[in-house]
């Protein structure tokens, strides 16, 4: 009887899972293993919204395996040590896992290879599980070019790559009797979860994908920036936890085609783009990808502004609406993320790392590659080819929330202000304004812009 182990990480699904597919094809029995790694949780990634979503994912993965005659084995501790223990308990000959992108994942892979090697067990690391195209598989020509720093040429080359085969979910999964599992975590056991947090798990993800293809995708190109319309896929948490395969998502969007399908695939490519930047420049999760010699504001006034930003009380309604959506749902519309991040880093001139940390504390899709590199992009320290652009929250609000419905949805204090006037409450007559429990702007836009320009040495 041959046994293989599948170590699940950011790929909590049964459909289109190359490591599981390979393990089932080569061994009689498979141990589907997930290790709740203390190091991941201690490194600031064990935040309530993602722990609650993860609990849903693990329960659903276990349920899917049980329907196929198997079960999930959950262990707690160090991923490498626990995997080795399972190998000893079952006599497994190979461990299959998905290639990771972060430096943490790379270290885990190296340690696994070494530890398993000394036990006489093989390790197969599968590419194109977490991303569509493996980081490093598409690189610019010329020497010393290990990644693309500009999105458009990357997208062109990425689009030319063929998609690998999409695997069906297995019909049966035979799991050896022996290895014990820790109890599955439950969402109810996690405190301080955002009240509107989405449901996790592969089944929920597949339902969402089917509904999205049927009802949302075709209009994505025209509607993706409509804040109130909420017309994006909301697939990001599922892509983050791997309850949906990015290859399958792209393959289904390409089948649907049309301008909506094309625009959507391009957006998913941004995810691969940031992953390949991080894989080549792991330090970009903490340090400027392109230093601009910023001397970000610190001290009492900056802290006060940051607190107002976090609480959704900056006095700029569209920024505040976005920040309150984040608090309530653990998710934020992309246009809201752009506006909130531009406001913090440019209008308030506060370090992008402060904002990125706050997002990582709350976002259910919060992910080192996408979060840190999008923050850097907005702050102008990343890959944006126009690093000094500043988004004006009023102009943007009028364009992407023309009637003000998004603002009224998230800011009850402004719910009585009709139409686009809601974007500039400071222009309301004093008698009305004083009755609203809503703050004055923390900074004038021209003042913030002048401060930013001076700091960056622009005229
Ligand atoms: P859709 O518009 O339906 O797009 C489909 C998918 O494409 C998304 O699910 C996502 O996987 C990918 N995608 C879309 N836009 C981007 C982008 N700009 N960069 C990378 N991938 C993208 N996304 C995360 O997944 N995790 C994060 O931690 C994260 N932090 C961000 C922080 C800031 C400051 C900004 C500006 C953007 C951030 N994004 C992040 C990217 C983007 O905002 C979200 O992926 C998107 O809003 C998720 O909603 P959706 O699934 O409905 O997206």
């Amino acid at each position: 009887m041959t046994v293989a182990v599948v170590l699940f990480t950011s790929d909590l699904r049964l459909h289109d899972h190359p490591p599981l597919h390979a393990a089932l094809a080569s061994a009689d029995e498979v141990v589907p293993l997930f290790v709740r790694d203390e190091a991941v949780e201690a490194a600031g990634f064990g935040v309530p919204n993602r722990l609650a979503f993860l609990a849903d994912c693990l329960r659903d993965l276990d349920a899917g395996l049980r329907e196929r005659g198997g079960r999930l084995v959950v262990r707690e501790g160090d991923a490498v040590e626990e995997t080795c223990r399972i190998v000893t308990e079952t006599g497994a000959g190979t461990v299959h896992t998905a290639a990771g992108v972060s430096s943490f994942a790379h270290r885990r892979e190296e340690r696994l290879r070494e530890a398993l090697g000394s036990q006489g067990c093989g390790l197969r690391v599968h590419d194109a599980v977490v991303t569509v195209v493996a980081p490093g598989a598409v690189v610019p020509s010329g020497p010393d070019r290990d990644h693309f720093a500009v999105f458009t040429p990357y997208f062109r080359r990425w689009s030319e790559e063929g998609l690998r085969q999409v695997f069906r979910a297995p019909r049966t999964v035979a799991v050896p009797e022996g290895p014990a599992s820790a109890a599955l975590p439950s969402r109810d056991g996690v405190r301080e979860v955002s009240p509107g947090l989405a449901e996790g798990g592969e089944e929920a993800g597949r339902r969402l994908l089917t509904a999205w293809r049927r009802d949302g995708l075709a209009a994505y190109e025209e509607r993706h920036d409509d804040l109130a319309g909420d017309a994006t896929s909301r697939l990001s948490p599922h892509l983050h936890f791997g309850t949906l395969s990015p290859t399958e998502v792209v393959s289904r969007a390409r089948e649907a085609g049309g301008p909506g399908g094309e625009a959507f695939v391009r957006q998913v490519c941004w995810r691969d783009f940031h992953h390949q930047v991080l894989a080549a420049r792991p330090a970009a999760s903490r340090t400027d990808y392109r230093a601009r010699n910023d001397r970000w504001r610190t001290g009492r006034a900056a802290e006060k502004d940051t607190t107002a930003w976090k609480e959704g009380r900056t006095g700029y309604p569209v920024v505040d609406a976005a920040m309150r959506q984040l608090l309530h749902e653990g998710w934020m519309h992309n246009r809201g993320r752009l506006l909130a991040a531009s406001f913090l880093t440019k209008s308030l001139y506060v370090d992008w790392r402060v904002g990125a940390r706050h997002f990582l504390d709350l976002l259910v899709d919060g992910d080192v590659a996408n979060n840190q590199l999008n923050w850097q992009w907005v702050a102008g320290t990343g890959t944006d080819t126009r690093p000094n652009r500043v988004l004006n929250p009023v102009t943007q609000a009028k364009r992407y929330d023309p009637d003000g419905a998004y603002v009224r949805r998230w800011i009850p204090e402004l719910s009585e202000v009709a139409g686009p006037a809601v974007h500039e409450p400071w222009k309301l007559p004093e008698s009305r304004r004083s009755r609203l429990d809503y703050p004055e702007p923390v900074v004038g836009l021209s003042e913030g812009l002048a401060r930013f320009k001076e700091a960056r040495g622009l005229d």
Side-chain angles (χ1 to χ4, degrees):
M1 191 69 90
T2 53
V3 179
V5 174
V6 175
L7 174 62
F8 287 86
T9 55
S10 307
D11 48 354
L12 303 176
R13 62 178 181 267
L14 297 176
H15 291 79
D16 193 36
H17 196 283
L20 182 61
H21 182 83
L24 288 168
S26 60
D28 303 314
E29 290 183 327
V30 168
V31 185
L33 171 67
F34 182 83
V35 183
R36 290 196 64 181
D37 197 321
E38 292 148 356
V40 177
E41 296 186 10
F45 293 100
V47 304
N49 286 340
R50 291 198 295 283
L51 286 179
F53 198 91
L54 172 68
D56 289 353
C57 296
L58 295 178
R59 285 184 170 259
D60 190 57
L61 186 59
D62 182 60
L65 285 161
R66 284 181 191 276
E67 276 168 27
R68 293 165 173 84
R71 69 196 165 99
L72 180 66
V73 174
V74 177
R75 292 281 170 103
E76 286 162 6
D78 174 69
V80 175
E81 284 170 21
E82 291 306 317
T83 307
C84 291
R85 200 162 286 153
I86 292 279
V87 166
T88 310
E89 287 172 27
T90 59
T94 313
V95 171
H96 295 262
T97 195
V101 169
S102 63
S103 42
F104 180 84
H106 286 150
R107 265 199 313 279
R108 181 176 56 205
E109 255 163 55
E110 277 167 29
R111 286 180 55 223
L112 254 183
R113 194 174 301 286
E114 207 181 299
L116 291 172
S118 64
Q119 278 185 278
C121 178
L123 175 69
R124 257 193 80 189
V125 177
H126 297 256
D127 279 333
V129 180
V130 171
T131 51
V132 180
V133 171
V138 174
V139 287
S141 46
D144 303 330
R145 314 276 301 267
D146 55 1
H147 70 291
F148 275 92
V150 181
F151 176 74
T152 305
Y154 175 73
F155 178 56
R156 208 174 301 124
R157 288 282 304 283
W158 181 91
S159 304
E160 287 161 12
E161 287 286 292
L163 281 188
R164 65 160 174 75
Q165 175 191 358
V166 174
F167 299 105
R168 285 170 191 273
R171 278 172 206 263
T172 57
V173 180
V175 177
E177 293 268 308
S181 174
L184 287 166
S186 123
R187 167 186 282 236
D188 298 340
V190 186
R191 291 211 309 233
E192 294 177 38
V193 173
S194 292
L197 186 76
E199 181 190 359
E202 183 173 20
E203 200 196 318
R206 296 192 74 77
R207 252 188 280 124
L208 200 59
L209 177 60
T210 303
W212 167 246
R213 252 204 67 170
R214 188 187 58 223
D215 307 326
L217 183 63
Y220 181 76
E221 196 197 14
E222 311 98 81
R223 299 198 57 214
H224 69 275
D225 265 329
D226 172 1
L227 279 162
D230 199 2
T232 64
S233 70
R234 287 184 175 254
L235 294 180
S236 54
H238 293 285
L239 288 166
H240 173 65
F241 284 90
T243 40
L244 286 176
S245 142
T247 301
E248 184 180 359
V249 167
V250 165
S251 155
R252 292 182 65 178
R254 279 195 183 144
E255 274 161 32
E262 281 167 29
F264 178 75
V265 168
R266 184 182 166 90
Q267 216 56 32
V268 178
C269 178
W270 272 103
R271 185 174 174 273
D272 274 20
F273 174 73
H274 291 313
H275 279 77
Q276 56 98 44
V277 174
L278 186 71
R281 298 285 181 275
S285 66
R286 298 175 306 276
T287 55
D288 289 348
Y289 177 81
R290 287 200 178 103
R292 306 277 175 208
N293 303 318
D294 285 301
R295 299 182 58 168
W296 303 107
R297 284 171 68 222
T298 52
R300 290 276 291 279
E303 276 166 25
K304 204 163 149 247
D305 290 351
T306 305
T307 303
W309 177 81
K310 287 183 183 173
E311 290 174 351
R313 294 190 58 79
T314 66
Y316 288 96
V318 76
V319 173
D320 293 342
M323 295 306 292
R324 294 194 202 182
Q325 179 176 29
L326 175 63
L327 288 168
H328 184 83
E329 293 189 9
W331 184 89
M332 194 197 282
H333 191 284
N334 181 57
R335 182 55 49 184
R337 297 187 202 207
L338 289 165
L339 294 177
S342 171
F343 190 78
L344 185 77
T345 56
K346 288 175 170 164
S347 304
L348 296 179
Y349 199 53
V350 169
D351 194 336
W352 63 265
R353 279 158 282 243
V354 174
R357 181 66 252 169
H358 181 67
F359 270 35
L360 277 185
D361 285 345
L362 287 164
L363 278 177
V364 62
D365 60 25
D367 140 340
V368 181
N370 285 325
N371 191 58
Q372 309 307 89
L373 291 165
N374 268 300
W375 268 95
Q376 292 229 43
W377 191 89
V378 178
T381 58
T383 55
D384 188 1
T385 48
R386 288 169 55 204
N388 295 320
R389 72 173 107 190
V390 179
L391 299 180
N392 179 316
V394 177
T395 320
Q396 291 265 317
K398 288 180 182 167
R399 187 175 310 154
Y400 299 117
D401 185 28
D403 173 54
Y406 177 72
V407 163
R408 280 187 293 278
R409 184 179 307 155
W410 292 108
I411 309 190
E413 305 95 288
L414 298 177
S415 61
E416 307 286 298
V417 184
V422 78
H423 294 308
E424 295 168 288
W426 54 87
K427 288 191 177 165
L428 293 170
E430 173 56 31
S431 56
R432 238 186 121 194
R433 213 169 66 218
S434 56
R435 277 187 279 119
L436 301 172
D437 176 25
Y438 186 71
E440 293 292 319
V442 285
V443 67
L445 289 180
S446 42
E447 190 191 324
L449 185 62
R451 175 172 58 197
F452 173 70
K453 283 186 163 176
E454 197 193 327
R456 285 268 167 102
L458 312 165
D459 29 69

